[in-house]
Amino acid sequence: MSILPTTRRTATPTSQRLGHRAGEVIDRSRTVSFTWNGRPLSGHPGDTIASALAAAGERVLSRSYKYHRPRGLLTADYLDPGAFFQVGDEPNVRGAHRLLEAGMAVSSQNTWPSLRFDLKAANGLAGRFLATGFYYKTFIKPEPLWPLYEKVLRTFVHAGAITPDPGAAYYDKRHAHPDVVVAGGGPAGMAAAVAAARAGASVMLVEEDHQLGGHLRWGDGAALARLRALRAQVAAQPGIEVLTDAVVTGRFDDNWIPIVARSLPGITERLVKARAAVLVVAPGLIERPYVFAGNDLPGVMLSTAARRLVNLYAVRPGSRAVVMSANPEGDAAVADLEAAGVEVAAVLDARRQQGVARAHGRGGLRAVETTDGRRIEADLLVTATGWTAPTSLLNQSGDRPVYDQAAARFVPDPDRMPANVLAAGGIVGDGTVDQLVEQADAVGREAARRATGGSAAGTVPGLRPAPHPELFAAGTGGFVDLCEDVSAKDITTAVAEGYDSVELAKRYTTVTMGPTQGKLETVNAVALVAHATGRSIAETGTTTWRPVYAPVTLGALAGRPREPVRYSPMQPWHERHGATPLVAGQWIRPEHYGDPAAEVTAVRTAVGIIDVTPIGKLDLRGPDVAELLNLLYVNKWSKLGVGRVRYGVMCADDGVVLDDGVTGRLGEDHYLMSTTSSGAATVWEWVENWLQTAHPEWQVHVTPVTTAYASINIAGPRSRDLLSRLTDPEDVDLSADAFGYMNVRTGTVAGVADCVLWRIGFTGELSYEIHVPASYGLHAWERLVAEGADLGVRPFGVEAQRILRLEKGHAIVAQDTDGLTQGFSAALDGLIKLDKDDFVGLPELRWQQGRDSHPRLVGLQPLDGTVVPPEASQILRTDGSIAGRVTSSRMSPTLGRAIGLAQIDPELAEVGTRVTVRLPDGRDVAAEVTGLVHVDPEGERQRV
Amino acid sequence: MMLLPCPWCGPRNATEFRFGGEAGRRPDPASASPEEWRRYLYFHTNPAGWSTETWYHGAGCRRFLTVERHTVTHEVRAARDTATGTTGEGIS
């Protein structure tokens, strides 16, 4: 596909590369080949994609966002709105910034249907959809047409293509703690960095471009000499880390400074998270475009763009030029163009009221119409009409820039800046290079002083903004925002429609909301709003410059995510034996080993073992542990004897159930607390919270030992037989008389000393939970499997355990309760001791019991035992209103029927009540409220 | 991201801490009225200014801290260990 503009369809682009320039950054000794819309082209190392295209004579580089107008280079730097390209599978590449690489496949974006397509037709078609505020007007009604609108718009606005394949892209992150971050590597930034480093500060010098130097790089011989001297100083000064092709993307609290760096070997992008004592903001100034009819034609560019092309890349930007200049930089552009062999047909001196009224051409500039009515044939129009201070980082530090009418730009207000942020160079004011460097040198020293707490404060010389004529728009139309295709007329229309504040006009028209983020457009937009409303620019104010300063890729933000995963020491065995993994928080545990129902039956009829290592375990020592337990649990703990364990439930002070588990007393002042697997971290923090903030006088030491032990529950009628094969009765006597239900012992298991054994019954069977020093966990597990072969031992997973506990009616916190479930709604009536002086949640539970209107936790069985209502199915009253929900539901292998637990309103909570359960598919099934315990309500099986 | 001056660990990123809300006094559970108790549970002054707060340094010393912080400027004028009162003067 050709990308030639319609008006030059038959012309062949010819090389615009100039002879050697003193400041050129290209390496002419080598050639880099690439393709442009499929066509082979070449440039040199050091070229940007756009400079190589310009050198090859390409002037139309893209079609605009809404109207698909042809666009060329405007700024020839990172911000250039005319040079967004697709490079391979990477969209929206900043073509006037990204360096050319061999083999790049570059294509233009927004070229629907092609760059040959008739412009007028596209515009006519677009007009229906793209009026001022079209986002709000076009799409409100009729709603059914939304999909059509979307389709049409997508055709108009495709901004490149992405691929779901991340390819070889590699993103990483780095933390840095420099004393001083200098944002901007122009003369001021370099001088500030050198001064700060000389004063002993560690400095990170961050420059958006590929080399240090800022505007000195495209300056005259004296500027280049100064550039070499400053670069030599930076290179020779220890303590400065230079990041080029890197951008400070924001300033957050306490100088938390994200920096995105590119051009690093082997790394696509790196996010540097810097915490700097002092931030020096030295971005220089951004040249501001001028708004007039035809200002978006290829061939219309800023003076800095023309000088970059000529002096950095040795590219002739046109053959016959008109220059509108209001400042010395514009005058210097005239000299540069003449030196490059460009015929300068006219210089319009804006300081003497000369100027551009309109630009004419189709697909490219043909003629310039001046304010005094002249028409000058030209293919290049260069404007130098003023500067914008990029104050984003200062705004984010609390500064509010003020409009300086004499200088025709917003300037920072140093009084509003915090002590850890300083500004240097052109953003503050104007001056000779010597003056800029002198001011920045003082700022650098002051930054180091503030960062390292050195000597007394020095004085920082001021920089005053130089007088400059106010030049924003010629009043002939044209585009304010070339990214978003917002015209001057759009702004006027928005104001006329009532959007008369700059913040409203911005949102209504989307001006400044494109990829350049207002850096080129904001001040012109403010000036147009001011003009349309009859207010001054100072009264109108500016929009807020928020983070991020430059767009950031998702890759840079994501970096290399590492989700920690926890395994028990028995994981290799589980994997070898076909366990289906279950993700439970950070833990990966066996859900089952192929047949959870058979695992349940094994536990009920023989013996099963389950890896319960993730159960939270806290080792509590000290004379006041019983006091602590009494405060945190709803039941009583003062009389728990040594060698005993007790089940406890914790509530928060709002009465809501927090966690549960058993705690055993191992010695006089020594307890082991267990928590739910998911609550381990929460309960540890909870315990510390009450100890540290409510009872610092209590002597209790808490040690989390969750992963210090591997935990195995051995459950089933043959569990005692099995465990006795691994223990010595002289050490741990497992007989029912010596080691009864709800007791704890310590001893040797499978030859491993210092194990904790407690006899408890989550499954409802005779069962022992053993906690083995973690490094012996796999050994103990394998011994249990080997020794239990003739007993029918079988490993079981979380699913079988869920069924077993449901058969026994044991609630699971956060499954059968939720964030609103207070204690008496969790079937804890027998456990909660309201006669205690205090425990966490006591008053709320007392009041809950008094109200007696709370939902109850009940057992539930569908009348048709083959129907297992999905968990969260609603329970309905006869009038169809919701009276509760199913919280747990399974097919019971032991009973051969569906069983469940439910939260249900009190009037339906009586055992025997018939209720209706609505399934997710809309069907209703009848069910009966039962007691909580479906299997062995008397608990005889676990007390043998 | 703001820094918090932990009296044990020095200045640390706020993400190392869990915010525990405005520090409040727990009423006597034996005598508190429902109004008093729920004021303690749910009502906070949420000032635009100085606030006394609890922060838990979960990714550090695991101590609960009482911090006086300005909610507008994030300036911290005092931070002490809630249990011991340690201010960590000199840690930086």
Side-chain angles (χ1 to χ4, degrees), chain A residues 254 275 653 685 692 844, chain B residues 1 13 18 26 40 64:
Chain A
D254 292 315
R275 176 75 77 176
D653 249 341
E685 184 178 327
Q692 292 183 37
E844 287 291 355
Chain B
M1 183 203 316
N13 287 349
R18 186 182 62 72
R26 186 171 179 258
Y40 148 70
F64 282 80

Side-chain angles (χ1 to χ4, degrees), chain A residues 810-932:
Chain A
H810 289 142
I812 294 179
V813 173
Q815 160 137 2
D816 300 300
T817 71
D818 63 21
L820 295 172
T821 305
Q822 292 181 309
F824 286 101
S825 292
L828 301 176
D829 305 56
L831 198 72
I832 298 169
K833 299 301 181 204
L834 293 176
D835 59 339
K836 284 174 28 171
D837 289 340
D838 188 14
F839 64 84
V840 182
L842 170 62
E844 287 291 355
L845 292 176
R846 190 186 292 138
W847 298 323
Q848 189 198 15
Q849 191 195 41
R851 285 193 306 272
D852 197 33
S853 58
H854 48 273
R856 305 298 207 272
L857 183 66
V858 298
L860 195 73
Q861 294 189 356
L863 299 188
D864 177 354
T866 65
V867 177
V868 182
E871 286 165 358
S873 293
Q874 303 295 334
I875 296 168
L876 306 181
R877 297 190 188 87
T878 46
D879 67 357
S881 60
I882 295 171
R885 68 182 194 284
V886 177
T887 60
S888 291
S889 188
R890 287 290 189 280
M891 176 59 69
S892 163
T894 309
L895 300 176
R897 68 163 355 273
I899 57 171
L901 291 176
Q903 286 280 345
I904 195 164
D905 283 352
E907 76 270 16
L908 296 178
E910 280 296 316
V911 171
T913 308
R914 291 281 173 88
V915 296
T916 301
V917 177
R918 174 150 301 170
L919 307 181
D921 64 7
R923 279 186 301 143
D924 290 344
V925 296
E928 185 175 301
V929 173
T930 67
L932 285 170

Side-chain angles (χ1 to χ4, degrees), chain A residues 252-254 256 275 653-654 684-685 688-690 692-693 696 838-840 843-844 846-847 851, chain B residues 1-3 13 18 26 29-30 32-34 37-38 40-42 56 62-64 74 82-83:
Chain A
F252 297 90
D253 287 320
D254 292 315
W256 179 248
R275 176 75 77 176
D653 249 341
D654 57 4
W684 181 21
E685 184 178 327
E688 287 288 353
N689 190 352
W690 286 93
Q692 292 183 37
T693 67
D838 188 14
F839 64 84
V840 182
E844 287 291 355
R846 190 186 292 138
W847 298 323
R851 285 193 306 272
Chain B
M1 183 203 316
M2 68 174 170
L3 289 168
N13 287 349
R18 186 182 62 72
R26 186 171 179 258
S33 68
W37 192 259
R38 278 141 198 180
Y40 148 70
L41 286 177
Y42 305 118
Y56 174 59
R62 294 197 165 267
R63 298 297 296 176
F64 282 80
H74 291 175
T82 306

Side-chain angles (χ1 to χ4, degrees), chain A residues 369-662:
Chain A
E369 184 184 325
T370 64
T371 48
D372 55 11
R374 284 182 291 158
R375 185 184 166 98
I376 305 162
E377 299 287 316
D379 64 354
L380 177 64
L381 170 57
V382 172
T383 64
T385 55
W387 308 94
T388 296
T391 55
S392 301
L393 296 174
L394 299 177
N395 281 59
Q396 293 161 27
S397 311
D399 184 37
R400 285 201 197 134
V402 290
Y403 185 66
D404 181 338
Q405 188 173 11
R409 69 177 195 246
F410 285 88
V411 294
D413 178 0
D415 292 341
R416 297 190 66 127
M417 291 194 305
N420 58 8
V421 177
L422 293 163
I427 192 172
V428 180
D430 297 306
T432 63
V433 176
D434 281 340
Q435 288 168 323
L436 294 174
V437 165
E438 185 193 358
Q439 187 261 358
D441 177 80
V443 167
R445 276 184 279 122
E446 176 63 11
R449 192 190 67 80
R450 292 185 188 181
T452 59
S455 53
T459 52
V460 176
L463 279 175
R464 290 192 58 77
H468 196 285
E470 280 187 297
L471 293 164
F472 308 107
T476 53
F479 283 90
V480 188
D481 188 328
L482 271 65
C483 292
E484 293 278 297
D485 263 2
V486 179
S487 68
K489 185 165 159 285
D490 287 332
I491 304 282
T492 315
T493 306
V495 171
E497 292 183 11
Y499 300 91
D500 56 354
S501 99
V502 65
E503 293 283 3
L504 290 177
K506 165 184 162 181
R507 283 155 181 78
Y508 191 56
T509 63
T510 74
V511 70
T512 75
M513 290 165 75
T516 55
Q517 298 174 282
K519 295 180 186 72
L520 301 173
E521 308 88 8
T522 292
V523 178
N524 285 338
V526 169
L528 285 163
V529 169
H531 182 74
T533 57
R535 294 191 296 255
S536 72
I537 290 174
E539 287 164 344
T540 304
T542 179
T543 53
T544 307
W545 302 71
R546 294 188 183 83
V548 290
Y549 175 75
V552 177
T553 63
L554 293 177
L557 295 177
R560 305 174 63 205
R562 285 280 181 264
E563 285 288 328
V565 174
R566 309 175 88 178
Y567 296 109
S568 90
M570 290 82 97
Q571 179 66 18
W573 191 96
H574 303 323
E575 286 174 5
R576 281 200 306 274
H577 292 82
T580 297
L582 172 74
V583 179
Q586 289 184 337
W587 288 93
I588 309 293
R589 4 181 2 187
E591 183 167 20
H592 57 77
Y593 300 83
D595 188 350
E599 293 167 19
V600 168
T601 304
V603 171
R604 291 273 179 244
T605 59
V607 58
I609 57 173
I610 179 172
D611 179 353
V612 290
T613 299
I615 278 182
K617 295 171 280 282
L618 296 175
D619 184 276
L620 307 173
R621 290 175 197 250
D624 297 315
V625 174
E627 291 267 33
L628 173 75
L629 299 177
N630 254 333
L631 177 68
L632 297 186
Y633 283 122
V634 299
N635 49 333
K636 294 185 180 173
W637 290 81
S638 22
K639 289 183 180 160
L640 185 74
V642 174
R644 301 280 297 170
V645 297
R646 185 168 287 174
Y647 172 74
V649 171
M650 296 181 187
C651 291
D653 249 341
D654 57 4
V656 171
V657 176
L658 180 75
D659 203 82
D660 69 346
V662 296

Side-chain angles (χ1 to χ4, degrees), chain A residues 276-292:
Chain A
V278 176
L279 170 66
V280 174
V281 181
L285 293 170
I286 293 172
E287 190 166 29
R288 194 159 61 224
Y290 189 53
V291 182
F292 53 91

